Amino acid sequence: MFKIFNTLSREKEFFNNIFSNIVNIYVCGVTVSNFCHIGHGRTFYFYDILIRYLSYLGYKCNYVRNITDINNDICEKAVMKGNFDISKFSSFMIYSMFNDFEKLGLLKPNSEPKVTDHIDLIINSILKLLKCNYAYISFNGDVLFSVKKFLRYGNVFLKVKNSLKLIKGKDFVLWKLNRNQKSYGWISPWGIGRPGWHIECSVISNKYLSNGIDIHGGGVDLIFPHHENEYFQSKCLFNNFFNVNYWVHTGLVLFENKKISKSKKDFFLLSDLLKLYNSDVIKYYLMSVHYRKNLLFSYSIFKKYKLSLIRLYLCLKDLNLNIIFSKDDFVSLRSFDNDFNELMNDDLNIPGVYKLFNYMSNLINKFKNKKFCLASKIGIKMIFLARIIGLLSYDVDFFLKKSVNFDNIKLIKKINYLVKKRHIFRKSKNWVKADLIKKKLFDLNVNVNDKINSFTDWYFI
């Protein structure tokens, strides 16, 4: 049975959903004040894997991921660019986000609600919190949620023994009043302003998943204060109707031991990386350590994972990937399914799955010449399992020859010319010149694979 780590209990728990075959998933989405960075890629690729695996297990997933399209940063950056229509700025960033996630090969959520489409619902929710004395209007006109009423504040996720130390000064904004004529806002009972960050997730998650949330997710940096605040808000707003079975969080991506974020100059755009490496390479790197652990970032590290993927794709080269399985084949290859399921059922152990794929690729290479049919069937099985986690999605030849350099047509032509020239020298047994060309190809990060029938294939190193 599938087990997943619940941040609330700090334990791996057997997965039991609220309804028989539907899984309700809510993930805190991107705040579109800037382009997406590699940290976003890791978080949302993990939930992509989770949804793919749950679907493989037979569940139907209802995946909701909100979009925060209004906050201070968005307003300030839009005005800095001379664009006083904040919606145009946020729409451009949302388009960029969609483009990055599509190139990364992520599944689309069932719903992607924007905060600005739910302002009336947010205002009504704040009114309810005021009426029940869970919120108050501060001296400067902002509406704040009072955490002082909750002795457990800070003790839900952080498990702080003396949570009273956290309470001082932790009341948070539900509605921020405009103090600048250039600010962007909506009319409310408290004046023109805009909602705070935390209230949006309580309101939106309840609107789209009012019958309960099986998995509520986000990055580990959202545990406190965002999810702690959301927890208490939702309890106040919806009482026992607020139900989350599992709170799941992904680790951070670190650069020089600091969190990569859009608030710093050293963040790395997904769009930039997608120009250098294809989606399989980036995704392979993103889950190279367990999803709950922090991941170290460096540009040079991608070369390592590109090589790992080249080995996997290379073992599939020249196999018959259209071979038809018999009933006996399903039985004989079931051990790979069992190993895969065992790893995935243990809190989605993707690094363990990578080891399984390496083992399968070794078997393929071992059987390729003497047991070609068996090697082909193991290859088909490996592709099937890999696609459950969104990998090995490219055509083998495309990945090995073109996908590493999408737009460099001149380079491809040059490589093909050198390979043909080398083939001529080899045919005439001019090994010196053939080796010189092999060195030139190596300098272009290209390796060659000479076949028995004198045909030569090549791939990027």
Side-chain angles (χ1 to χ4, degrees):
M1 285 183 68
F2 177 42
K3 293 179 80 172
I4 193 163
F5 187 87
N6 189 347
T7 308
L8 204 61
S9 65
R10 294 192 173 184
E11 291 180 352
K12 293 179 189 178
E13 298 178 6
F14 286 109
F15 180 73
N16 291 296
N17 54 325
I18 298 169
F19 299 99
S20 59
N21 66 329
I22 296 174
V23 179
N24 286 337
I25 300 173
Y26 181 84
V27 177
C28 294
V30 177
T31 299
V32 290
S33 57
N34 213 325
F35 299 104
C36 290
H37 54 71
I38 192 68
H40 291 130
R42 188 176 196 225
T43 294
F44 300 119
Y45 175 44
F46 166 73
Y47 291 104
D48 186 81
I49 290 174
L50 175 62
I51 288 161
R52 288 175 187 270
Y53 187 62
L54 288 170
S55 300
Y56 163 74
L57 293 178
Y59 295 103
K60 182 180 178 182
C61 295
N62 185 15
Y63 177 26
V64 179
R65 186 177 70 210
N66 74 310
I67 299 173
T68 301
D69 59 338
I70 182 67
N71 74 351
N72 287 350
D73 286 343
I74 292 170
C75 291
E76 288 171 10
K77 287 182 180 179
V79 172
M80 280 171 60
K81 293 179 181 292
N83 184 359
F84 296 102
D85 186 347
I86 311 299
S87 61
K88 286 185 179 179
F89 174 82
S90 61
S91 294
F92 174 75
M93 289 300 172
I94 291 169
Y95 170 80
S96 174
M97 176 189 74
F98 287 159
N99 193 40
D100 283 347
F101 289 170
E102 184 179 354
K103 286 181 179 177
L104 203 54
L106 305 187
L107 299 169
K108 291 183 178 180
N110 299 84
S111 303
E112 288 185 278
K114 296 189 294 185
V115 173
T116 55
D117 290 334
H118 298 80
I119 298 298
D120 288 344
L121 197 57
I122 290 171
I123 289 172
N124 289 334
S125 298
I126 295 172
L127 282 168
K128 183 178 178 180
L129 291 170
L130 282 166
K131 186 177 179 179
C132 297
N133 294 318
Y134 292 121
Y136 63 93
I137 300 173
S138 68
F139 69 92
N140 63 5
D142 293 344
V143 183
L144 302 181
F145 185 91
S146 177
V147 301
K148 301 177 183 68
K149 296 181 179 291
F150 305 97
L151 293 176
R152 288 187 65 222
Y153 183 80
N155 197 27
V156 175
F157 290 102
L158 296 184
K159 311 297 182 188
V160 176
K161 290 182 181 179
N162 186 5
S163 58
L164 290 172
K165 291 180 180 179
L166 282 171
I167 289 176
K168 189 176 181 181
K170 290 294 181 180
D171 291 353
F172 55 88
V173 175
L174 298 171
W175 188 264
K176 186 174 183 62
L177 207 63
N178 279 6
R179 295 177 185 83
N180 187 331
Q181 289 183 349
K182 294 180 180 179
S183 296
Y184 190 69
W186 291 262
I187 297 171
S188 78
W190 320 284
I192 296 175
R194 54 188 181 274
W197 176 33
H198 310 298
I199 187 67
E200 66 180 74
C201 282
S202 291
V203 171
I204 290 174
S205 64
N206 182 261
K207 177 183 176 180
Y208 290 85
L209 301 170
S210 58
N211 54 359
I213 302 170
D214 291 296
I215 295 170
H216 192 310
V220 70
D221 52 330
L222 299 186
I223 293 175
F224 190 89
H226 184 53
H227 285 163
E228 189 95 13
N229 292 348
E230 187 186 340
Y231 177 90
F232 282 100
Q233 278 174 160
S234 297
K235 284 290 186 184
C236 294
L237 284 168
F238 314 117
N239 299 316
N240 294 329
F241 293 102
F242 174 67
N243 180 27
V244 177
N245 275 2
Y246 307 90
W247 293 82
V248 179
H249 297 90
T250 58
L252 303 175
V253 179
L254 302 179
F255 176 66
E256 296 179 348
N257 290 321
K258 294 178 182 178
K259 171 192 165 187
I260 286 178
S261 71
K262 56 182 173 289
S263 61
K264 298 176 183 177
K265 292 182 180 179
D266 61 0
F267 72 92
F268 302 90
L269 304 180
L270 269 183
S271 54
D272 287 348
L273 286 170
L274 285 162
K275 290 175 184 174
L276 297 172
Y277 302 98
N278 65 45
S279 61
D280 264 17
V281 174
I282 295 172
K283 288 193 287 188
Y284 196 90
Y285 154 74
L286 290 174
M287 286 296 126
S288 57
V289 301
H290 192 271
Y291 77 88
R292 286 191 283 115
K293 294 182 179 180
N294 292 336
L295 178 66
L296 298 179
F297 180 92
S298 71
Y299 275 112
S300 60
I301 204 167
F302 285 94
K303 294 178 182 178
K304 171 185 174 182
Y305 295 108
K306 185 173 77 171
L307 280 171
S308 297
L309 270 171
I310 284 173
R311 291 188 191 100
L312 292 183
Y313 273 100
L314 195 59
C315 82
L316 300 170
K317 180 74 176 166
D318 300 325
L319 294 179
N320 181 1
L321 299 178
N322 297 310
I323 198 168
I324 299 188
F325 277 43
S326 67
K327 289 183 180 179
D328 291 338
D329 291 329
F330 286 107
V331 174
S332 63
L333 298 175
R334 188 177 292 164
S335 62
F336 298 120
D337 295 291
N338 294 340
D339 291 342
F340 177 81
N341 292 342
E342 186 178 342
L343 290 162
M344 293 295 284
N345 285 340
D346 184 18
D347 194 26
L348 299 166
N349 181 3
I350 308 299
V353 171
Y354 288 177
K355 291 179 181 178
L356 173 63
F357 291 162
N358 286 328
Y359 170 70
M360 293 175 79
S361 70
N362 289 338
L363 287 179
I364 292 167
N365 289 328
K366 179 181 177 181
F367 296 136
K368 221 172 190 179
N369 291 327
K370 295 182 179 179
K371 298 180 180 179
F372 180 78
C373 194
L374 176 60
S376 296
K377 289 171 181 176
I378 296 172
I380 293 169
K381 176 62 71 176
M382 186 171 77
I383 292 172
F384 171 77
L385 297 175
R387 288 184 178 175
I388 294 171
I389 62 171
L391 290 177
L392 299 186
S393 54
Y394 290 92
D395 174 79
V396 175
D397 287 330
F398 179 81
F399 182 91
L400 291 174
K401 289 189 177 181
K402 297 178 181 178
S403 63
V404 181
N405 290 272
F406 281 105
D407 302 317
N408 206 333
I409 297 171
K410 289 183 179 178
L411 176 62
I412 302 296
K413 287 183 177 179
K414 183 177 181 180
I415 291 167
N416 284 328
Y417 169 76
L418 289 172
V419 169
K420 287 178 182 178
K421 195 173 180 181
R422 178 175 175 272
H423 177 69
I424 292 168
F425 286 131
R426 289 181 73 243
K427 202 171 181 181
S428 62
K429 296 185 179 181
N430 192 335
W431 308 119
V432 175
K433 288 187 177 180
D435 287 343
L436 284 172
I437 292 178
K438 187 176 181 180
K439 186 180 182 304
K440 286 182 180 180
L441 288 165
F442 190 80
D443 291 339
L444 294 171
N445 290 321
V446 170
N447 209 345
V448 291
N449 185 17
D450 297 321
K451 304 290 184 177
I452 298 173
N453 60 0
S454 297
F455 175 73
T456 299
D457 200 3
W458 63 267
Y459 57 92
F460 284 109
I461 301 169

